[in-house]
Each structure stands twice: as C-alpha cells, then as structure tokens.
Amino acid sequence: MSSTRRAIALLFLVSALTVSWALTSGRTSAQPSGYRAGRTADGKPNLNGIWQAMNTANWDLQDHDARPGPAALGAAFSVPAGDGVVDGNVIPYKPEALAKKKQNMAASVTLDPEIKCYLPGVPRATYQPFPFVRVRQTPS
C-alpha cells in the first residue's frame, strides 16, 4: 500500500472514530447554574433556529450496545452504541410488548422502513440525527 493510501486510510479512521466518540460520549443536557435562555424583544423564550436531535435514540430509546448491520450492506445500517433518552433508562413494557420489541430488533433488516428507503415516521423522525425543523417565531 502506498504512503498516500495509508495516509488517507488513517485520516478516514481518525474521522470515523471522532464521529463515533461524539455520538456515544455521555453528554448531559443540564444547563450551568444561572443559565437564562435567550429572549425575544417581548420577553418570551426565543425558540428561533434549526432543531436537531443529537443522540442515538433513533436506534433505541434505552441504553444500547453497538450492533452490526446486515452483512450485504456493510456498515451502512450498523447501530452505534449510545445512551438512552428515557429517565431512569426503564420503559415499563408489558411482557408481550417487550417480546415484540425484541422481535422487531431481531428482524430490523426486513422491518426497518429506512432500509427500504421509506421515511421513518413520527416520532422516530424526531430522534434522527438530522435537522428536523426550522422555527420562525413571531410576536403573534
């Protein structure tokens, strides 16, 4: 392998590890004491901007380990490890609902709408790591 190819491969590896670390690092949503959200001219909280989820809830609402994607698709649909977004990390599933969740996870290659290039639906679309909505707030 030439030195140029090695350098490119190393750069790619470092980039991939950096993105992986950013997605899985334990970020907290707690604000520093004394924090005050921005306000509009009329004193209301300023919600203007582009909103985006920066978590791994798209893959599982609870804490989860990394999982490989379908072999035929390479890393395209692999699942990164991540922290959950559920307080206490517990969803009080009924036994049949928990069994259905496990069944859906095991068959995600055939059931996941994204693999078929369909939209994920709501609320899942709000958990994906892409800009979801732009808010333009007016006094009225």
Side-chain angles (χ1 to χ4, degrees):
M1 182 184 286
S2 72
S3 61
T4 304
R5 282 187 169 180
R6 283 187 191 135
I8 290 171
L10 181 61
L11 179 63
F12 179 77
L13 178 63
V14 169
S15 298
L17 290 173
T18 301
V19 169
S20 176
W21 174 82
L23 285 173
T24 60
S25 64
R27 283 181 242 137
T28 177
S29 61
Q31 297 294 336
S33 62
Y35 172 80
R36 180 167 162 86
R39 300 287 169 172
T40 60
D42 57 359
K44 295 179 181 171
N46 186 350
L47 302 176
N48 283 298
I50 296 175
W51 291 76
Q52 177 177 356
M54 298 299 289
N55 57 45
T56 59
N58 175 49
W59 294 280
D60 197 334
L61 296 175
Q62 296 171 288
D63 293 351
H64 54 278
D65 295 327
R67 295 188 308 271
L73 299 175
F77 287 93
S78 60
V79 176
D83 296 329
V85 294
V86 177
D87 286 339
N89 197 41
V90 175
I91 299 175
Y93 286 112
K94 291 184 177 181
E96 59 272 14
L98 182 58
K100 184 65 175 173
K101 177 189 176 185
K102 289 178 181 178
Q103 179 186 4
N104 288 344
M105 290 284 208
S108 64
V109 174
T110 57
L111 296 177
D112 190 339
E114 277 192 289
I115 290 179
K116 299 173 186 174
C117 296
Y118 296 141
L119 295 174
V122 174
R124 183 176 174 198
T126 63
Y127 296 132
Q128 293 188 312
F130 311 113
F132 184 71
V133 67
R134 179 173 186 154
V135 175
R136 292 182 187 254
Q137 183 176 346
T138 65
S140 60

